Amino acid sequence: MTISDPSALPSRVTGYADARAVLDQPLLVPEPAADPADTPAGSLAWLRATVARFTGDGQTHARRRAHAVEDLAALDPRDLRQAAAGSAVGADDRHTVVRVLAEQLGLPEPDAVAAAVLTVSAGYFGSALTPAQGRAADEAVSRLLALTAREDDPRPPEAAAQRIGLLVQACDATARLVEHARRAAPDGLPPGGADALLAEVLRQDPPVTALRRRALADVRVGALDLRAGDVVLIDVTAAEPDAPAECTPLAFGAGPHHCPGRAQAMALAAGLLERDDPARQITEAVARVLDLAATWTAWDGRPLAVDGRVYTPHKAIRRVADHLVDHLAELEARLAGQEPQPDHWHASATTTPADLAPFTAEDLDEARSRLVRLDGIWADRLRALSDAQLDRSPGRGWSFRLLAAHVAGSLDYYAGAVGRLGATTDLFRKEQS
């Protein structure tokens, strides 16, 4: 096992394989908090003692973690990404992350939730607080319990603590991930977009640089012999570059205590990075549509069922173009001080005879010309708007920044309904028939 000094405590692990061995060992857990029976109910100490993050006992940890996972299941990463991409510029990223999560969880007063979470986060991981900070954190926990409680929730009170813990743990870590990504790409997103940038940042400059684990009992991990109470420090920055490309970054942990909200955190971070250039969101979404459409000449003529509707290549292109036209017309009308004209699209509810036609190379070429031109109009218009116009847009409806995020997400949805076609798809269909 790669450690800096086997005789020192805590032992410092610097190799990826060794780090995984430590994280996968159930007897090595994050620093446990105090027994909740010894803490005032509704205080910061009670929260730390009740969340899964600081629970050492395996059975109790699994039960508490299940509550957090249940809440996470209600958070679609696509919705989080769109909401973050459409959020107003200028706000603290930590506040935005929590507010978006609170909105998506259906919590009341999301801005109040975010403010309370920022207060709690100062001492959540064990940092020393002044008496005044401690009182403020206790009051914030009590406030969060009131804001996150649900009368119809059949789960025990500790479930509310997991919901608060989810919000607090997302707060700083996600914002730091975005900060590191902006530092790595000060001139804007690289050609691979937000996802590629975040993947590289997690390997080279992760937001979490160290993970501590304490032994619950005597245990041997690789060449490391630990006594109960011994601490192991995993150097994430040193270990990440050794990780195989397909492995999950250590910043989200691994093993029984790995972060269950990785997909949601990555979606929020990507959305925040994309928010600063809404025109690029449209351009990249159109590029993704055309990348998939390039495979649609292999379509076998059978419509694909998605979410209670059916889609074909022509129908997907139709819906993509209609969506671009519809919301562009809305944007222009609002800028002109007019009420947007209601649309009368039959949309995805109708599949026309033209939708069922073969999708040829000529159709692909026509689609490319049409969509690239529409993208150009969107890009020119959005880049001509100020941040104030994007975030405090005239007329009724979403802000133009959120509108752009919605359009980009919708294009991905329609194109994704058909997906990438080819030999693999044909083989799958034959196996299913």
Side-chain angles (χ1 to χ4, degrees):
M1 176 159 287
T2 308
I3 58 176
S4 58
D5 182 359
S7 65
L9 291 177
S11 298
R12 178 171 170 267
V13 178
T14 59
Y16 182 85
D18 297 334
R20 282 300 307 264
V22 169
L23 294 171
D24 289 340
Q25 171 51 252
L27 289 177
L28 296 176
V29 301
E31 296 277 2
D35 188 317
D38 299 329
T39 58
S43 64
L44 175 60
W46 169 85
L47 178 66
R48 281 174 43 81
T50 309
V51 294
R53 174 69 174 76
F54 303 113
T55 300
D57 176 71
Q59 186 175 359
T60 305
H61 170 265
R63 185 187 71 242
R64 292 175 172 175
R65 180 187 174 89
H67 295 311
V69 170
E70 186 176 347
D71 280 332
L72 285 166
L75 297 170
D76 188 326
R78 294 172 299 180
D79 294 337
L80 293 175
R81 186 169 186 158
Q82 178 178 309
S87 62
V89 300
D92 183 336
D93 284 339
R94 299 178 303 158
H95 188 281
T96 300
V97 165
V98 180
R99 180 178 55 76
V100 169
L101 286 170
E103 288 174 343
Q104 296 296 315
L105 285 169
L107 301 180
E109 302 181 50
D111 282 312
V113 170
V117 165
L118 263 62
T119 300
V120 172
S121 69
Y124 179 79
F125 288 99
S127 299
L129 301 178
T130 65
Q133 289 174 321
R135 288 191 296 273
D138 289 342
E139 291 171 2
V141 171
S142 179
R143 174 73 170 143
L144 285 169
L145 282 171
L147 288 169
T148 61
R150 294 174 177 168
E151 293 182 1
D152 60 345
D153 193 342
R155 299 180 299 175
E158 71 176 15
Q162 313 317 313
R163 191 173 299 124
I164 296 171
L166 184 159
L167 297 172
V168 177
Q169 287 167 212
C171 174
D172 289 322
T174 307
R176 280 200 304 272
L177 176 58
V178 173
E179 177 188 349
H180 290 200
R182 289 189 177 128
R183 183 168 64 200
D187 297 325
L189 294 176
D195 296 313
L197 174 60
L198 290 170
E200 185 64 19
V201 168
L202 286 174
R203 286 176 60 85
Q204 301 298 333
D205 187 20
V208 176
T209 59
L211 297 170
R212 294 173 65 89
R213 292 293 184 265
R214 181 177 293 276
L216 294 177
D218 295 352
V219 62
R220 181 178 179 85
V221 183
L224 188 61
D225 285 308
L226 297 169
R227 297 278 189 179
D230 284 353
V231 173
V232 180
L233 184 68
I234 297 171
D235 187 330
V236 175
T237 306
E240 285 290 11
D242 295 335
E246 68 277 7
C247 290
T248 301
L250 289 178
F252 291 98
H257 287 268
H258 79 273
C259 173
R262 179 180 186 274
Q264 288 80 3
M266 294 293 283
L268 285 164
L272 286 173
L273 291 172
E274 292 165 338
R275 174 189 63 185
D276 300 336
D277 190 352
R280 180 167 179 165
Q281 292 184 56
I282 303 292
T283 296
E284 292 188 344
V286 167
R288 290 191 294 270
V289 170
L290 293 174
D291 176 59
L292 292 177
T295 71
W296 294 351
T297 55
W299 183 52
D300 62 9
R302 286 182 282 179
L304 295 97
V306 178
D307 294 337
R309 305 284 176 86
V310 296
Y311 289 90
T312 70
H314 279 293
K315 184 173 181 177
I317 292 295
R318 170 168 68 83
R319 292 302 300 130
V320 164
D322 289 352
H323 222 67
L324 287 166
V325 169
D326 187 30
H327 287 298
L328 182 61
E330 175 194 348
L331 184 153
E332 293 292 353
R334 289 169 59 185
L335 282 173
Q338 303 295 322
E339 189 71 21
Q341 179 181 355
D343 75 75
H344 298 288
W345 304 119
H346 293 293
S348 298
T350 296
T351 304
T352 70
D355 291 335
L356 298 171
F359 192 80
T360 67
E362 290 79 8
D363 292 316
L364 174 62
D365 193 47
E366 293 292 294
R368 184 178 293 112
S369 295
R370 183 181 308 116
L371 298 183
V372 166
R373 282 161 175 75
L374 284 170
D375 165 47
I377 298 171
W378 266 100
D380 289 342
R381 167 48 80 192
L382 289 171
R383 288 187 173 127
L385 300 176
S386 66
D387 281 337
Q389 289 173 305
L390 289 168
D391 293 327
R392 295 182 293 280
S393 308
R396 293 183 299 174
W398 289 338
S399 72
F400 293 158
R401 196 185 301 275
L402 181 54
L403 194 67
H406 164 72
V407 170
S410 297
L411 302 196
D412 284 328
Y413 175 82
Y414 291 126
V418 178
R420 188 174 301 279
L421 303 183
T424 302
T425 305
D426 293 339
L427 177 61
F428 174 78
R429 285 183 171 181
K430 287 177 182 177
E431 290 175 347
Q432 298 298 308
S433 60

